Amino acid sequence: QQRRSQVNLPVVVHIVPTPPRRQRLLWDNYHSVRYPPAYIPRDNLDVKQDILDWHGDHPHTNFHDMFDFLISAGMFLEMLGSPF
């Protein structure tokens, strides 16, 4: 017998108008440096100082210090996830 559940999850999304060009940065996530073909990720969660493979190359993960600094300075990051 099939069981079925229903969950309601309220989500609030804050949408802001397009910021002025001087406050926008384009983060090119699509053209990230590729790993060498023989590279084997380490993904050891016990290693806290070198978490490159653990989080991936995204502004709010591996680059979160820079991301936090830019956001606190009033900047907006736009993510490029496909070829331009």
Side-chain angles (χ1 to χ4, degrees), residues 27-48:
W27 182 274
D28 186 355
N29 211 39
Y30 179 77
H31 293 97
S32 292
V33 176
R34 303 276 187 252
Y35 288 117
Y39 182 78
I40 300 170
R42 292 182 301 276
D43 285 341
N44 182 350
L45 301 182
D46 295 327
V47 178
K48 304 294 184 196

Side-chain angles (χ1 to χ4, degrees), residues 19-68:
R21 185 174 221 150
R22 68 182 177 276
Q23 289 181 275
R24 291 184 283 162
L25 292 173
L26 180 63
W27 182 274
D28 186 355
N29 211 39
Y30 179 77
H31 293 97
S32 292
V33 176
R34 303 276 187 252
Y35 288 117
Y39 182 78
I40 300 170
R42 292 182 301 276
D43 285 341
N44 182 350
L45 301 182
D46 295 327
V47 178
K48 304 294 184 196
Q49 302 301 340
D50 183 16
I51 56 174
L52 181 63
D53 301 333
W54 182 12
H55 284 268
D57 297 330
H58 208 272
H60 57 268
T61 56
N62 271 348
F63 302 98
H64 71 86
D65 288 337
M66 181 191 68
F67 178 79
D68 294 343

